Amino acid sequence: MRQAGRSLPEYRRLRGDGDILDAIAKPELAAELTLQPVRRYGVDAAILFSDIVVPLAAIGVGVEIVTGRGPVIDRPFRKYEDLRRLRPLEPEADLAYVLETIRMVVGELNVPLIGFAGAPFTLASYLVEGGPSRTFARTKALMHGEPELWHQVVDRLADIALATLRAQVKAGASAIQLFDSWAGALSPSDYETFALPASRKVLEGMGDLGVPRIHFGVGTGELLALMSEAGADVVGVDWRVPLDVARRRIGAGKAVQGNLDPAVCLAPAGVVIEEATKVLQDAGGEPGHIFNLGHGVLPETDPGVLAQVVETVHNWRPGTPSGEVAG
Ligand code: 1CP
């Protein structure tokens, strides 16, 4: 559950009000922040405490994570000359602290660690818009108006994602996740032309390392069939599409991840457990389901409710009637 830490008092105490990019740059702190939700909830995997914009900051793109807003880019990308600011990433030099965090975490964990990167489209949207966006108007104007420049931007971002993911696996991550959080803003045809090729470059470029590859998106119901062609082993689904329907769109041979609505987790515990059980039933068993929320944990979520969700998932056996939990 991404950002599970945000709902925890121990996380808020340790994080304080400091800049999140500074916290990520301190391996001991970042390792502890990675471990906290695993200890508290007993989940089956950890996700590295970092952010999708970390590799961009590391190559000198001015980016700040503003509380309550998200990543803000100091000079947004608009022209060919901006390409020069996307130099290749050298993970051992540029992201030594992230690799150190991974080594520390892996030394202490007894569940797998998931490494991750931002997908080229989602990162490009921050670069072009200058920050979070509702309409992605500038991003879409650039991709349609200057497709050659767009393709060069996402191709460079693919190389950056690939470099960081390969280095994370070499440092000890056992699976990787490519976060294309905002791909759902695109039509299928735009996704296929402007986002899919660069994501495929990243996912297929990880093939030789033999680690499971998870492909995440939000609002991607109409894109699931295309996403399943991008080369991942697991396709993430949000709450808008039931997992049995999603499986038909994704096709045979892929696992699914998802898809409890994070907002539902604010309801009374009994309701949340019922909804979580529905997710488990819709998922079916084969060929694999990673139970997760459809997007990150909301900060106001009660940790006690999440602990009950984890317990429900751990106790669930296929064939369990809705609302009842097998022992
Ligand atoms: O502690 C804080 O400052 C709170 C918020 C926070 C956290 C905990 C941000 C700002 N980033 C993170 C860490 C983070 N980001 C993790 C680490 C693991 C974890 O804590 O669970 C991960 C995997 C991410 C990935 C990330 N960052 C994504 C992809 C997944 C997703 O949520 O869609 C995206 C889009 C970001 C950008 C970002 N960073 C932070 C925020 C609030 C946002 C989203 C802003 C927006 O709406 O555009």
Side-chain angles (χ1 to χ4, degrees):
M1 294 183 201
R2 196 184 70 69
Q3 301 196 351
R6 284 198 296 174
S7 62
L8 297 178
E10 62 267 30
Y11 171 91
R12 289 199 286 262
R13 263 198 308 276
L14 192 61
R15 260 279 284 121
D17 296 327
D19 186 332
I20 188 171
L21 294 178
D22 290 341
I24 290 166
K26 295 184 183 133
E28 258 177 47
L29 179 58
E32 179 57 23
L33 291 168
T34 303
L35 294 167
Q36 281 181 341
V38 183
R39 277 195 214 109
R40 168 75 88 124
Y41 297 118
V43 282
D44 303 306
I47 183 136
L48 178 69
F49 185 78
S50 182
D51 194 85
I52 57 169
V53 298
V54 164
L56 298 179
I59 61 167
V61 173
V63 49
E64 199 188 332
I65 297 186
V66 177
T67 308
R69 190 159 171 229
V72 174
I73 309 291
D74 70 356
R75 282 186 298 143
F77 274 48
R78 303 283 152 82
K79 308 187 217 59
Y80 263 96
E81 64 206 46
D82 291 323
L83 271 179
R84 267 183 290 153
R85 290 154 58 202
L86 283 182
R87 69 149 168 92
L89 178 78
E90 293 169 28
E92 307 297 331
D94 297 324
L95 290 176
Y97 50 89
V98 171
L99 304 180
E100 178 59 19
T101 303
I102 292 175
R103 286 188 278 266
M104 291 174 83
V105 166
V106 169
E108 288 202 35
L109 268 182
N110 41 24
V111 292
L113 175 69
I114 305 171
F116 69 88
F121 168 75
T122 287
L123 283 181
S125 79
Y126 285 116
L127 287 176
V128 175
E129 302 291 336
S133 170
R134 247 189 296 235
T135 59
F136 299 91
R138 288 195 164 102
T139 309
K140 292 180 181 181
L142 184 79
M143 65 171 57
H144 284 281
E146 294 202 65
E148 275 176 33
L149 171 57
W150 173 263
H151 284 295
Q152 287 193 53
V153 171
V154 287
D155 192 62
R156 286 190 192 208
L157 292 170
D159 290 338
I160 289 168
L162 195 49
T164 174
L165 290 173
R166 293 187 71 85
Q168 289 178 50
V169 170
K170 283 184 187 144
S174 319
I176 62 95
Q177 182 150 201
L178 190 66
F179 282 116
D180 209 353
S181 306
W182 314 133
L186 296 174
S187 68
S189 129
D190 281 359
Y191 179 77
E192 191 170 18
T193 308
F194 298 112
L196 177 64
S199 285
R200 181 184 281 135
K201 185 178 188 185
V202 181
L203 291 164
E204 289 187 348
M206 294 300 291
D208 61 315
L209 294 183
V211 296
R213 295 157 293 182
I214 309 165
H215 193 178
F216 174 92
V218 180
T220 52
E222 298 301 325
L223 305 179
L224 290 172
L226 288 167
M227 282 176 75
S228 87
E229 291 172 19
D233 307 292
V234 185
V235 179
V237 180
D238 80 5
W239 57 90
R240 293 171 180 90
V241 184
L243 288 178
D244 52 344
V245 177
R247 275 205 199 274
R248 291 198 283 278
R249 295 183 188 174
I250 289 164
K254 304 254 174 208
V256 291
Q257 172 178 278
N259 67 348
L260 184 62
D261 185 342
V264 164
C265 295
L266 304 186
V271 177
V272 183
I273 302 298
E274 234 173 81
E275 293 294 316
T277 305
K278 267 191 227 155
V279 168
L280 291 162
Q281 287 171 331
D282 287 346
E286 295 300 323
H289 169 219
I290 300 174
F291 183 95
N292 208 327
L293 303 189
H295 205 172
V297 175
L298 298 169
E300 56 271 49
T301 310
D302 174 354
V305 170
L306 292 187
Q308 287 188 58
V309 170
V310 173
E311 201 189 329
T312 302
V313 176
H314 279 159
N315 290 336
W316 191 78
R317 300 289 173 270
T320 312
S322 177
E324 271 177 46
V325 175

